[in-house]
Amino acid sequence: MRIQLNFVALEAYDFPGKDKESLDLANGANVVDALHALGLEEDTFYLTLQNDTSVPKTLRSKTELKEGDVLTLFYPIKGG
């Protein structure tokens, strides 16, 4: 299956899947599987969304992705 990727506030962060717009995964893959396929650790990002729904860190391994889903990854934003 293929999912779409959306990255927010990741300009300075370098990881293997940074330039991808989509990702091919096995059927039944979850959010953690997608993170690993991008070369990221499970807790790298502070916010993940499946389509427009937040996926808490505790549910990432239980949240199954489906064909055409959009996975959005937000890097922690710091300001002052």
Side-chain angles (χ1 to χ4, degrees), residues 10 13 15 35 39-47 57 60 74-76:
L10 293 171
Y13 191 74
F15 58 96
L35 293 175
L40 299 168
E41 295 298 321
E42 184 173 340
D43 60 354
T44 302
F45 291 90
Y46 107 118
L47 180 63
K57 183 177 175 180
R60 290 177 184 171
F74 285 83
Y75 192 72

Side-chain angles (χ1 to χ4, degrees), residues 14-15 31-33 36 49-51 53 55 59 61 68 72:
D14 192 28
F15 58 96
V31 173
V32 172
D33 296 327
H36 289 170
L49 299 176
Q50 178 187 25
N51 301 314
T53 303
V55 180
L59 297 178
S61 64
T72 302

Side-chain angles (χ1 to χ4, degrees), residues 17-43:
K18 180 178 180 179
D19 296 324
K20 293 185 176 199
E21 294 180 6
S22 64
L23 187 62
D24 291 317
L25 297 167
N27 288 333
N30 60 44
V31 173
V32 172
D33 296 327
L35 293 175
H36 289 170
L38 291 168
L40 299 168
E41 295 298 321
E42 184 173 340
D43 60 354

